[in-house]
């Protein structure tokens, strides 16, 4: 395994201190009929290689949750009758 370049590359990535994603000054403004909602304002963060699996799982769970909410809102007769 010592001569395997793929193993060395994997080992180098896992030990890397450099972030693989850098986000600076993130803003999210939601416009509603009542006005603007500033959900996120001037947020900055770095994502390192070891944090990517957790980030991917979190995004997947959130997206499935929002899809389920949308389907429930669209298909539930109690909610649709409002």
């Amino acid at each position: 395994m010592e001569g395997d370049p793929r193993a060395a590359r994997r080992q180098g990535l896992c030990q890397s201190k450099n972030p693989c994603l850098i986000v600076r000054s993130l803003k999210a403004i939601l416009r509603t009929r009542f006005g603007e909602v500033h959900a996120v304002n001037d947020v900055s963060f770095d994502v390192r290689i070891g944090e990517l699996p957790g980030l991917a799982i979190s995004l997947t769970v959130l997206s499935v949750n929002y899809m389920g909410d949308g389907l429930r809102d669209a298909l539930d007769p109690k909610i649709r009758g409002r």
Side-chain angles (χ1 to χ4, degrees):
M1 271 290 176
E2 270 184 64
D4 187 7
R6 289 177 294 168
R9 192 168 39 236
R10 278 194 307 265
Q11 188 179 21
L13 281 175
C14 292
Q15 295 176 355
S16 175
K17 300 294 181 194
N18 297 329
C20 56
L21 175 66
I22 300 171
V23 177
R24 296 287 177 250
S25 301
L26 177 67
K27 292 182 182 183
I29 301 171
L30 307 173
R31 289 180 178 82
T32 67
R33 63 181 180 207
F34 303 111
E36 291 183 344
V37 176
H38 294 265
V40 176
N41 192 12
D42 197 30
V43 174
S44 301
F45 59 91
D46 298 339
V47 178
R48 297 195 176 6
I49 194 76
E51 298 167 338
L52 288 178
L55 183 63
I57 291 169
S58 298
L59 289 175
T60 302
V61 168
L62 280 173
S63 63
V64 169
N65 187 18
Y66 287 135
M67 275 190 350
D69 287 346
L71 284 173
R72 185 194 61 224
D73 291 347
L75 301 176
D76 190 359
K78 293 177 186 175
I79 294 175
R80 282 192 352 199
R82 288 187 201 175

